[in-house]
Amino acid sequence: MAQAAWGEADALRKATLALTEDLQMDSVLDTLLQSLLELVPYESAQILFVESDSRLFVARDAHCPKAAKETVRYPLTLDATDHP
């Protein structure tokens, strides 16, 4: 349990350092997704920004190298009422 907590703390420390090195949005989002992958293995992940009460903007997505790659054109906006 202590080893898992140390691993999480180390991943968060690395993410914090990386996020403060470059404040360009693309770099910050890529770093955030990479740090997330170290904490929580995933096949795909997305960062969504709220545009309005029901609209979400897909700011960035990532696919694990093992997962099939799909071409997504940005910006992509979703209507949250279509996906309850």
Side-chain angles (χ1 to χ4, degrees):
M1 196 165 152
Q3 204 170 27
W6 181 84
E8 289 176 12
D10 188 51
L12 291 172
R13 180 188 61 80
K14 287 179 186 176
T16 301
L17 288 173
L19 289 171
T20 57
E21 287 178 359
D22 186 351
L23 296 180
Q24 297 225 357
M25 184 60 72
D26 288 342
S27 179
V28 169
L29 297 178
D30 288 340
T31 300
L32 183 59
L33 286 168
Q34 182 59 41
S35 298
L36 177 64
L37 182 60
E38 292 177 21
L39 287 174
V40 182
Y42 59 78
E43 290 181 7
S44 67
Q46 294 179 330
I47 297 176
L48 305 173
F49 292 153
V50 177
E51 284 188 344
S52 66
D53 290 340
S54 66
R55 293 178 63 83
L56 303 172
F57 173 73
V58 179
R60 200 54 138 206
D61 68 352
H63 298 279
C64 184
K66 296 175 187 173
K69 292 188 177 185
E70 297 178 18
T71 303
V72 178
R73 294 184 180 207
Y74 291 100
L76 175 63
T77 301
L78 304 173
D79 189 333
T81 59
D82 292 340
H83 308 279

Coordinates of all heavy atoms in Angstrom, one line a residue:
M1 N 0.8 -1.2 0.0 CA 0.0 0.0 0.0 C 0.9 1.3 0.0 O 0.6 2.2 -0.7 CB -0.9 0.0 1.2 CG -2.1 0.9 1.2 SD -3.2 0.4 2.4 CE -4.0 2.0 2.8
A2 N 1.9 1.2 0.8 CA 2.9 2.4 0.8 C 3.6 2.5 -0.5 O 3.8 3.7 -0.9 CB 3.9 2.2 2.0
Q3 N 3.9 1.4 -1.1 CA 4.6 1.5 -2.4 C 3.7 2.1 -3.5 O 4.1 2.9 -4.3 CB 5.0 0.1 -2.8 CG 6.2 0.0 -3.8 CD 6.7 -1.4 -4.0 OE1 5.9 -2.3 -3.8 NE2 7.9 -1.5 -4.3
A4 N 2.4 1.8 -3.5 CA 1.4 2.4 -4.4 C 1.3 3.9 -4.2 O 1.3 4.6 -5.1 CB 0.1 1.7 -4.3
A5 N 1.2 4.3 -2.9 CA 1.1 5.7 -2.6 C 2.4 6.4 -3.0 O 2.3 7.6 -3.5 CB 0.9 5.8 -1.1
W6 N 3.5 5.8 -2.9 CA 4.8 6.5 -3.3 C 4.8 6.6 -4.8 O 5.2 7.7 -5.3 CB 6.0 5.6 -2.9 CG 7.3 6.3 -3.3 CD1 8.0 7.3 -2.6 CD2 8.0 6.0 -4.5 NE1 9.1 7.6 -3.3 CE2 9.1 6.9 -4.5 CE3 7.8 5.2 -5.5 CZ2 10.1 6.9 -5.5 CZ3 8.8 5.2 -6.6 CH2 9.9 6.0 -6.5
G7 N 4.3 5.6 -5.5 CA 4.2 5.7 -7.0 C 3.3 6.8 -7.5 O 3.6 7.5 -8.4
E8 N 2.2 6.9 -6.8 CA 1.2 8.0 -7.2 C 1.8 9.4 -6.9 O 1.7 10.3 -7.7 CB -0.1 7.8 -6.4 CG -0.9 6.6 -6.8 CD -2.1 6.4 -6.0 OE1 -2.5 7.3 -5.2 OE2 -2.8 5.4 -6.1
A9 N 2.5 9.5 -5.7 CA 3.1 10.8 -5.4 C 4.2 11.1 -6.4 O 4.3 12.3 -6.8 CB 3.6 10.7 -4.0
D10 N 5.0 10.2 -6.8 CA 6.0 10.4 -7.7 C 5.5 10.8 -9.1 O 6.0 11.8 -9.7 CB 6.9 9.2 -7.9 CG 8.2 9.5 -8.7 OD1 8.9 10.4 -8.3 OD2 8.4 8.7 -9.6
A11 N 4.4 10.2 -9.5 CA 3.8 10.5 -10.8 C 3.2 11.9 -10.8 O 3.4 12.7 -11.7 CB 2.7 9.5 -11.2
L12 N 2.6 12.3 -9.7 CA 2.0 13.6 -9.5 C 3.2 14.7 -9.4 O 3.0 15.8 -10.0 CB 1.2 13.7 -8.3 CG -0.2 12.9 -8.4 CD1 -0.9 12.9 -7.0 CD2 -1.1 13.5 -9.4
R13 N 4.3 14.4 -8.8 CA 5.4 15.3 -8.7 C 6.0 15.6 -10.1 O 6.2 16.7 -10.5 CB 6.5 14.7 -7.8 CG 7.7 15.6 -7.7 CD 8.8 14.9 -6.9 NE 9.3 13.7 -7.6 CZ 10.1 13.7 -8.7 NH1 10.6 14.9 -9.2 NH2 10.5 12.6 -9.2
K14 N 6.1 14.5 -10.9 CA 6.6 14.6 -12.3 C 5.7 15.4 -13.1 O 6.1 16.3 -13.9 CB 6.8 13.2 -12.9 CG 8.0 12.5 -12.4 CD 8.1 11.1 -13.0 CE 9.2 10.2 -12.5 NZ 9.2 8.9 -13.0
A15 N 4.4 15.2 -12.9 CA 3.4 15.9 -13.7 C 3.4 17.4 -13.4 O 3.4 18.3 -14.2 CB 2.0 15.4 -13.4
T16 N 3.5 17.7 -12.1 CA 3.6 19.1 -11.6 C 4.8 19.8 -12.2 O 4.7 20.9 -12.7 CB 3.6 19.2 -10.1 OG1 2.5 18.6 -9.6 CG2 3.7 20.6 -9.6
L17 N 6.0 19.2 -12.2 CA 7.2 19.8 -12.8 C 7.0 20.0 -14.3 O 7.4 21.0 -14.8 CB 8.4 18.9 -12.5 CG 8.9 18.9 -11.1 CD1 10.0 17.8 -10.9 CD2 9.4 20.2 -10.6
A18 N 6.5 19.0 -15.0 CA 6.3 19.1 -16.4 C 5.3 20.2 -16.8 O 5.5 20.9 -17.8 CB 5.9 17.8 -17.0
L19 N 4.2 20.3 -16.0 CA 3.2 21.3 -16.3 C 3.7 22.7 -16.1 O 3.3 23.6 -16.8 CB 2.0 21.0 -15.5 CG 1.2 19.8 -15.9 CD1 0.1 19.5 -14.9 CD2 0.6 19.9 -17.3
T20 N 4.6 22.9 -15.2 CA 5.1 24.2 -15.0 C 6.3 24.6 -15.9 O 6.6 25.8 -16.0 CB 5.6 24.4 -13.5 OG1 6.6 23.4 -13.2 CG2 4.4 24.2 -12.6
E21 N 6.8 23.7 -16.7 CA 7.9 24.0 -17.6 C 7.4 24.7 -18.8 O 8.1 25.5 -19.4 CB 8.6 22.7 -18.0 CG 9.5 22.1 -16.9 CD 10.1 20.8 -17.3 OE1 9.9 20.4 -18.4 OE2 10.9 20.3 -16.5
D22 N 6.2 24.4 -19.3 CA 5.7 24.9 -20.5 C 4.3 25.3 -20.4 O 3.5 24.4 -20.1 CB 5.9 23.9 -21.7 CG 5.6 24.5 -23.0 OD1 5.0 25.6 -23.1 OD2 5.9 23.8 -24.0
L23 N 3.9 26.5 -20.6 CA 2.5 26.9 -20.3 C 1.7 26.9 -21.6 O 0.6 27.4 -21.6 CB 2.4 28.2 -19.6 CG 3.0 28.2 -18.2 CD1 2.9 29.6 -17.5 CD2 2.3 27.1 -17.3
Q24 N 2.2 26.4 -22.7 CA 1.4 26.4 -24.0 C 0.4 25.3 -23.8 O 0.6 24.2 -23.3 CB 2.3 26.0 -25.2 CG 3.3 27.1 -25.4 CD 3.5 27.5 -26.8 OE1 2.8 26.9 -27.7 NE2 4.3 28.4 -27.1
M25 N -0.9 25.6 -24.2 CA -2.0 24.7 -23.9 C -1.8 23.3 -24.5 O -2.1 22.3 -23.8 CB -3.3 25.3 -24.4 CG -4.5 24.5 -24.1 SD -4.8 24.3 -22.3 CE -5.4 25.9 -21.9
D26 N -1.3 23.2 -25.7 CA -1.1 21.8 -26.3 C -0.2 21.0 -25.4 O -0.4 19.8 -25.2 CB -0.6 21.9 -27.7 CG -1.7 22.4 -28.7 OD1 -2.9 22.3 -28.3 OD2 -1.4 22.8 -29.8
S27 N 0.9 21.7 -25.0 CA 1.9 21.0 -24.2 C 1.4 20.6 -22.8 O 1.6 19.5 -22.4 CB 3.2 21.9 -24.1 OG 4.1 21.2 -23.3
V28 N 0.6 21.5 -22.2 CA 0.0 21.2 -20.9 C -0.9 20.0 -21.0 O -0.9 19.1 -20.2 CB -0.7 22.4 -20.4 CG1 -1.5 22.1 -19.1 CG2 0.3 23.5 -20.0
L29 N -1.8 20.0 -22.0 CA -2.7 18.9 -22.2 C -2.1 17.6 -22.5 O -2.4 16.5 -21.9 CB -3.8 19.3 -23.2 CG -4.6 20.5 -22.9 CD1 -5.6 20.8 -24.1 CD2 -5.4 20.3 -21.7
D30 N -1.0 17.6 -23.3 CA -0.3 16.4 -23.6 C 0.4 15.8 -22.4 O 0.4 14.6 -22.1 CB 0.7 16.6 -24.7 CG 0.1 16.8 -26.1 OD1 -1.1 16.4 -26.3 OD2 0.8 17.4 -27.0
T31 N 1.0 16.7 -21.6 CA 1.6 16.3 -20.4 C 0.7 15.8 -19.4 O 0.9 14.8 -18.7 CB 2.4 17.5 -19.7 OG1 3.4 18.0 -20.7 CG2 3.1 17.1 -18.4
L32 N -0.5 16.4 -19.3 CA -1.6 15.9 -18.4 C -2.0 14.5 -18.8 O -2.1 13.6 -17.9 CB -2.7 16.9 -18.4 CG -3.9 16.6 -17.5 CD1 -3.4 16.6 -16.0 CD2 -5.0 17.6 -17.7
L33 N -2.2 14.2 -20.0 CA -2.6 12.9 -20.5 C -1.5 11.9 -20.2 O -1.7 10.7 -19.9 CB -3.0 12.9 -22.0 CG -4.3 13.6 -22.2 CD1 -4.5 13.8 -23.7 CD2 -5.5 12.7 -21.7
Q34 N -0.2 12.3 -20.5 CA 0.9 11.3 -20.2 C 1.0 11.0 -18.7 O 1.2 9.9 -18.4 CB 2.2 11.9 -20.7 CG 3.4 11.0 -20.6 CD 3.2 9.7 -21.3 OE1 2.7 9.6 -22.4 NE2 3.6 8.6 -20.6
S35 N 0.8 12.0 -17.9 CA 0.9 11.8 -16.4 C -0.3 10.9 -16.0 O -0.1 10.0 -15.1 CB 0.8 13.1 -15.7 OG 1.9 13.9 -16.0
L36 N -1.4 11.1 -16.6 CA -2.6 10.2 -16.3 C -2.3 8.8 -16.6 O -2.6 7.9 -15.9 CB -3.8 10.7 -17.0 CG -5.1 9.9 -16.8 CD1 -5.5 9.9 -15.4 CD2 -6.2 10.4 -17.7
L37 N -1.7 8.6 -17.8 CA -1.3 7.2 -18.2 C -0.4 6.5 -17.2 O -0.6 5.3 -17.0 CB -0.7 7.2 -19.6 CG -0.3 5.9 -20.2 CD1 -1.6 5.0 -20.4 CD2 0.4 6.1 -21.6
E38 N 0.5 7.2 -16.6 CA 1.3 6.6 -15.6 C 0.6 6.2 -14.3 O 0.9 5.3 -13.6 CB 2.5 7.6 -15.2 CG 3.4 7.8 -16.3 CD 4.5 8.8 -16.0 OE1 4.8 9.0 -14.8 OE2 5.1 9.4 -16.9
L39 N -0.5 7.0 -14.0 CA -1.3 6.7 -12.8 C -2.4 5.7 -13.0 O -2.6 4.8 -12.2 CB -1.9 8.0 -12.2 CG -1.0 9.0 -11.5 CD1 -1.8 10.2 -11.2 CD2 -0.4 8.3 -10.3
V40 N -3.1 5.9 -14.2 CA -4.2 5.0 -14.5 C -4.0 4.5 -16.0 O -4.3 5.3 -16.9 CB -5.5 5.8 -14.4 CG1 -6.7 5.0 -14.7 CG2 -5.7 6.5 -13.1
P41 N -3.6 3.3 -16.1 CA -3.5 2.8 -17.5 C -4.8 2.9 -18.3 O -5.8 2.6 -17.7 CB -3.1 1.3 -17.3 CG -2.5 1.3 -15.9 CD -3.2 2.3 -15.1
Y42 N -4.7 3.4 -19.5 CA -6.0 3.5 -20.3 C -5.7 3.1 -21.7 O -4.6 3.1 -22.2 CB -6.5 4.9 -20.2 CG -5.6 6.0 -20.7 CD1 -5.4 6.3 -22.0 CD2 -4.9 6.8 -19.8 CE1 -4.6 7.3 -22.5 CE2 -4.1 7.8 -20.2 CZ -3.9 8.1 -21.6 OH -3.1 9.1 -22.0
E43 N -6.8 2.8 -22.4 CA -6.7 2.6 -23.9 C -6.9 3.9 -24.6 O -6.3 4.1 -25.7 CB -7.7 1.5 -24.3 CG -7.4 0.1 -23.8 CD -8.4 -0.9 -24.3 OE1 -9.3 -0.6 -25.1 OE2 -8.3 -2.0 -23.9
S44 N -7.8 4.7 -24.1 CA -8.0 6.1 -24.6 C -8.5 7.0 -23.5 O -9.1 6.5 -22.6 CB -9.0 6.0 -25.8 OG -10.3 5.7 -25.3
A45 N -8.2 8.3 -23.7 CA -8.6 9.3 -22.7 C -8.9 10.6 -23.5 O -8.3 10.8 -24.5 CB -7.6 9.5 -21.7
Q46 N -9.8 11.4 -22.9 CA -10.1 12.7 -23.5 C -10.1 13.7 -22.4 O -10.5 13.5 -21.2 CB -11.4 12.7 -24.2 CG -11.5 11.8 -25.4 CD -12.9 11.8 -26.0 OE1 -13.9 12.0 -25.3 NE2 -12.9 11.6 -27.3
I47 N -9.7 14.9 -22.8 CA -9.9 16.1 -21.9 C -11.0 16.9 -22.5 O -10.9 17.4 -23.7 CB -8.6 16.9 -21.8 CG1 -7.5 16.1 -21.2 CG2 -8.8 18.2 -21.0 CD1 -6.1 16.8 -21.1
L48 N -12.0 17.2 -21.7 CA -13.2 17.9 -22.2 C -13.3 19.2 -21.4 O -13.1 19.3 -20.2 CB -14.5 17.1 -21.9 CG -14.5 15.7 -22.5 CD1 -15.8 14.9 -22.0 CD2 -14.5 15.7 -24.0
F49 N -13.6 20.3 -22.1 CA -13.9 21.6 -21.5 C -15.4 21.9 -21.7 O -16.0 21.6 -22.7 CB -13.1 22.7 -22.2 CG -11.6 22.6 -22.0 CD1 -10.8 23.2 -23.0 CD2 -11.0 22.1 -20.9 CE1 -9.4 23.2 -22.8 CE2 -9.7 22.0 -20.7 CZ -8.8 22.6 -21.7
V50 N -15.9 22.5 -20.7 CA -17.3 22.8 -20.7 C -17.5 24.1 -21.5 O -16.9 25.2 -21.1 CB -17.9 23.0 -19.3 CG1 -19.4 23.4 -19.4 CG2 -17.8 21.7 -18.5
E51 N -18.3 24.1 -22.6 CA -18.6 25.3 -23.3 C -19.8 26.0 -22.9 O -19.9 27.3 -22.9 CB -18.7 25.0 -24.8 CG -17.4 24.7 -25.5 CD -17.6 24.6 -27.0 OE1 -18.8 24.4 -27.5 OE2 -16.6 24.6 -27.8
S52 N -20.8 25.3 -22.5 CA -22.1 25.8 -22.0 C -22.7 24.7 -21.1 O -22.1 23.7 -20.8 CB -23.0 26.2 -23.2 OG -23.4 25.0 -23.9
D53 N -23.9 24.9 -20.7 CA -24.6 24.0 -19.9 C -24.6 22.6 -20.4 O -24.4 21.6 -19.6 CB -26.0 24.4 -19.6 CG -26.1 25.6 -18.7 OD1 -25.1 25.9 -18.0 OD2 -27.2 26.3 -18.7
S54 N -24.7 22.4 -21.7 CA -24.8 21.1 -22.3 C -23.8 20.8 -23.3 O -23.7 19.7 -23.9 CB -26.2 20.8 -22.8 OG -26.4 21.7 -23.9
R55 N -22.9 21.7 -23.6 CA -21.9 21.5 -24.7 C -20.5 21.3 -24.1 O -20.1 22.1 -23.3 CB -21.9 22.6 -25.7 CG -23.2 22.7 -26.5 CD -23.3 23.8 -27.4 NE -22.3 23.8 -28.5 CZ -22.5 23.1 -29.6 NH1 -23.5 22.3 -29.8 NH2 -21.5 23.1 -30.5
L56 N -19.8 20.2 -24.6 CA -18.5 19.9 -24.2 C -17.5 20.0 -25.4 O -17.9 19.5 -26.5 CB -18.4 18.5 -23.6 CG -19.4 18.2 -22.4 CD1 -19.3 16.8 -22.1 CD2 -19.0 19.1 -21.2
F57 N -16.4 20.6 -25.2 CA -15.4 20.8 -26.2 C -14.3 19.7 -26.0 O -13.7 19.7 -24.9 CB -14.8 22.2 -26.2 CG -13.7 22.4 -27.1 CD1 -13.8 22.5 -28.4 CD2 -12.4 22.5 -26.5 CE1 -12.7 22.7 -29.3 CE2 -11.3 22.8 -27.4 CZ -11.5 22.9 -28.7
V58 N -14.0 18.9 -26.9 CA -12.9 17.9 -26.8 C -11.6 18.6 -27.1 O -11.3 18.9 -28.3 CB -13.1 16.7 -27.7 CG1 -12.0 15.7 -27.6 CG2 -14.5 16.0 -27.5
A59 N -10.9 19.0 -26.0 CA -9.7 19.7 -26.2 C -8.5 18.8 -26.6 O -7.6 19.3 -27.3 CB -9.3 20.4 -24.9
R60 N -8.5 17.6 -26.2 CA -7.4 16.7 -26.5 C -7.8 15.3 -26.2 O -8.6 15.0 -25.4 CB -6.2 17.0 -25.6 CG -4.9 16.6 -26.0 CD -4.6 17.0 -27.4 NE -3.2 17.5 -27.5 CZ -2.8 18.4 -28.4 NH1 -3.7 18.9 -29.2 NH2 -1.6 18.7 -28.5
D61 N -7.3 14.4 -27.0 CA -7.5 13.0 -26.7 C -6.2 12.2 -27.0 O -5.3 12.7 -27.6 CB -8.7 12.4 -27.5 CG -8.4 12.3 -29.0 OD1 -7.4 12.8 -29.5 OD2 -9.2 11.7 -29.7
A62 N -6.2 11.0 -26.4 CA -5.0 10.2 -26.5 C -5.4 8.8 -26.5 O -6.4 8.4 -26.0 CB -4.0 10.4 -25.3
H63 N -4.6 8.0 -27.3 CA -4.8 6.6 -27.4 C -3.5 5.9 -27.0 O -2.4 6.3 -27.3 CB -5.2 6.2 -28.8 CG -6.5 6.8 -29.3 ND1 -7.7 6.3 -28.9 CD2 -6.7 7.9 -30.0 CE1 -8.6 7.1 -29.5 NE2 -8.0 8.1 -30.1
C64 N -3.7 4.8 -26.2 CA -2.6 4.0 -25.8 C -2.0 3.4 -27.1 O -2.7 3.1 -28.0 CB -3.0 2.9 -24.9 SG -1.7 1.9 -24.2
P65 N -0.6 3.3 -27.2 CA 0.0 2.8 -28.4 C -0.6 1.4 -28.8 O -0.6 1.1 -30.0 CB 1.5 2.7 -28.1 CG 1.7 3.7 -26.9 CD 0.3 3.7 -26.2
K66 N -1.0 0.7 -27.9 CA -1.6 -0.7 -28.2 C -3.0 -0.6 -28.9 O -3.4 -1.5 -29.5 CB -1.7 -1.5 -27.0 CG -0.3 -1.8 -26.4 CD -0.5 -2.6 -25.1 CE 0.9 -2.7 -24.3 NZ 0.7 -3.3 -23.0
A67 N -3.7 0.5 -28.6 CA -5.0 0.7 -29.1 C -5.0 1.2 -30.5 O -4.1 1.8 -31.0 CB -5.8 1.7 -28.2
A68 N -6.0 0.9 -31.3 CA -6.1 1.3 -32.7 C -6.2 2.8 -32.7 O -6.9 3.4 -31.9 CB -7.4 0.7 -33.3
K69 N -5.5 3.4 -33.6 CA -5.5 4.9 -33.8 C -6.6 5.3 -34.7 O -6.7 4.8 -35.8 CB -4.1 5.4 -34.2 CG -3.1 5.1 -33.2 CD -1.8 5.8 -33.7 CE -0.7 5.6 -32.6 NZ 0.5 6.4 -32.8
E70 N -7.4 6.3 -34.3 CA -8.4 6.8 -35.1 C -8.1 8.3 -35.4 O -7.5 9.0 -34.6 CB -9.8 6.8 -34.4 CG -10.2 5.4 -34.1 CD -11.6 5.4 -33.3 OE1 -12.2 6.5 -33.3 OE2 -11.9 4.4 -32.7
T71 N -8.4 8.7 -36.6 CA -8.1 10.1 -36.9 C -9.3 11.0 -36.4 O -10.4 10.7 -36.8 CB -8.0 10.3 -38.4 OG1 -6.9 9.5 -38.9 CG2 -7.7 11.7 -38.8
V72 N -9.0 12.0 -35.6 CA -10.0 12.9 -35.1 C -9.6 14.3 -35.5 O -8.5 14.7 -35.3 CB -10.1 12.8 -33.5 CG1 -11.1 13.8 -33.0 CG2 -10.4 11.4 -33.1
R73 N -10.5 15.0 -36.1 CA -10.3 16.4 -36.5 C -10.7 17.3 -35.3 O -11.8 17.1 -34.8 CB -11.0 16.7 -37.7 CG -10.5 15.9 -38.9 CD -11.2 16.3 -40.2 NE -10.6 15.5 -41.2 CZ -10.6 15.9 -42.5 NH1 -11.0 17.0 -42.8 NH2 -10.1 15.1 -43.4
Y74 N -9.9 18.3 -35.0 CA -10.2 19.2 -34.0 C -10.6 20.5 -34.6 O -10.2 20.8 -35.7 CB -8.9 19.5 -33.1 CG -8.6 18.3 -32.3 CD1 -7.6 17.4 -32.7 CD2 -9.3 18.0 -31.1 CE1 -7.2 16.3 -32.0 CE2 -8.9 16.9 -30.4 CZ -7.9 16.0 -30.8 OH -7.6 14.9 -30.1
P75 N -11.4 21.3 -34.0 CA -12.0 21.1 -32.7 C -13.3 20.2 -32.8 O -13.9 20.3 -33.9 CB -12.3 22.5 -32.1 CG -12.6 23.3 -33.4 CD -11.6 22.7 -34.4
L76 N -13.5 19.5 -31.9 CA -14.7 18.6 -31.8 C -15.6 19.1 -30.7 O -15.1 19.2 -29.6 CB -14.3 17.1 -31.7 CG -15.5 16.1 -31.5 CD1 -16.3 16.1 -32.8 CD2 -14.9 14.7 -31.3
T77 N -16.8 19.3 -30.9 CA -17.7 19.8 -29.8 C -18.9 18.8 -29.7 O -19.4 18.3 -30.7 CB -18.3 21.2 -30.1 OG1 -17.2 22.1 -30.2 CG2 -19.2 21.6 -29.0
L78 N -19.2 18.4 -28.5 CA -20.2 17.4 -28.2 C -21.4 18.1 -27.5 O -21.1 19.0 -26.7 CB -19.7 16.3 -27.4 CG -18.5 15.5 -27.9 CD1 -18.0 14.5 -26.8 CD2 -18.8 14.8 -29.2
D79 N -22.5 17.6 -27.7 CA -23.7 18.1 -26.9 C -23.9 17.0 -25.9 O -24.3 15.9 -26.2 CB -24.9 18.2 -27.9 CG -26.1 18.9 -27.2 OD1 -26.2 18.8 -25.9 OD2 -26.9 19.5 -27.9
A80 N -23.8 17.4 -24.6 CA -23.9 16.5 -23.5 C -25.3 15.9 -23.4 O -25.4 14.8 -22.9 CB -23.5 17.2 -22.2
T81 N -26.3 16.6 -23.9 CA -27.7 16.0 -23.8 C -27.8 14.8 -24.8 O -28.7 14.0 -24.6 CB -28.7 17.0 -24.2 OG1 -28.5 17.5 -25.5 CG2 -28.7 18.2 -23.2
D82 N -26.9 14.7 -25.7 CA -26.9 13.5 -26.6 C -26.3 12.3 -26.0 O -26.4 11.2 -26.4 CB -26.2 13.8 -27.9 CG -26.9 14.8 -28.8 OD1 -28.1 15.0 -28.6 OD2 -26.2 15.4 -29.7
H83 N -25.5 12.5 -24.9 CA -24.8 11.4 -24.2 C -25.0 11.5 -22.7 O -24.1 11.9 -22.0 CB -23.3 11.6 -24.5 CG -22.9 11.6 -26.0 ND1 -22.9 10.5 -26.8 CD2 -22.7 12.7 -26.8 CE1 -22.6 10.9 -28.0 NE2 -22.5 12.2 -28.0
P84 N -26.2 11.1 -22.3 CA -26.5 11.3 -20.8 C -25.6 10.3 -20.0 O -25.3 10.5 -19.0 CB -27.9 10.9 -20.7 CG -28.3 10.3 -22.0 CD -27.3 10.6 -23.0

